[in-house]
Amino acid sequence: MAQKVELKSGNVDVLSGQKTINVEYDYSSFGVGKFATEQEYLDKKAAEYNAKEAGKGDAWKKDWVADRKSSYEPKFEELLNKGLADKGIIVGRGKTDAKYTLIVRTTFVEPGFNVGVVRKNAAVDFVIDVVETSNKTGKVAEITMAKVPGGQFGGYDFDTGVRIAESYAKAGKSLAAFLDKKLK
């Protein structure tokens, strides 16, 4: 399934010739499934799990947030860097000396499900702002990606985090292909 990457505004040509690009992640405001906010989703799911087994929901909630740094972000960066390797560009967190920063905003998450006989892939919507590292208020460009699919081949993705991580991996790969075509 081809992923549509759309340049909503600005120009990504400024990234041509850059050796490093900083990346930051923004999870401050997004809906999850049928819930308008992440907090509503977390509260409901944690309560359901805690009702079945004391403490299970609290652990799940902690893992939900921890998956960002341990899984989603590394997968995104790995495939983005792999796709930009021929351009000589390295993208990563903490590259504050880089002239430009990609701010990857998660705007919607469909966690999907896998109950063995029935499954639904995850899907994530992203808005990626290209900004100057020294002035993050002014956007150089805005890129969107909608419904980036996430699931594992063979269907062994019973964990929500695994499916969502695959969406981030696919987003990194798709963004790399998009930038590879745009940059000289």
Side-chain angles (χ1 to χ4, degrees), residues 122-136:
V124 181
D125 293 353
F126 298 93
V127 174
I128 299 162
D129 295 329
V130 179
V131 299
E132 288 185 25
T133 303
S134 62
N135 176 21
K136 295 180 182 162

Side-chain angles (χ1 to χ4, degrees), residues 89-107:
I89 299 172
I90 297 171
V91 180
R93 287 173 288 192
K95 300 200 177 298
T96 54
D97 58 333
K99 185 172 182 179
Y100 295 99
T101 295
L102 301 177
I103 300 175
V104 179
R105 287 188 287 137
T106 301
T107 58

Side-chain angles (χ1 to χ4, degrees), residues 12 15 80 84 87 143 175-183:
V12 295
L15 301 177
L80 181 57
L84 293 176
K87 297 280 186 214
I143 301 163
L175 181 60
F178 173 79
L179 292 173
D180 190 52
K181 287 180 187 171
K182 296 279 186 191
L183 303 180

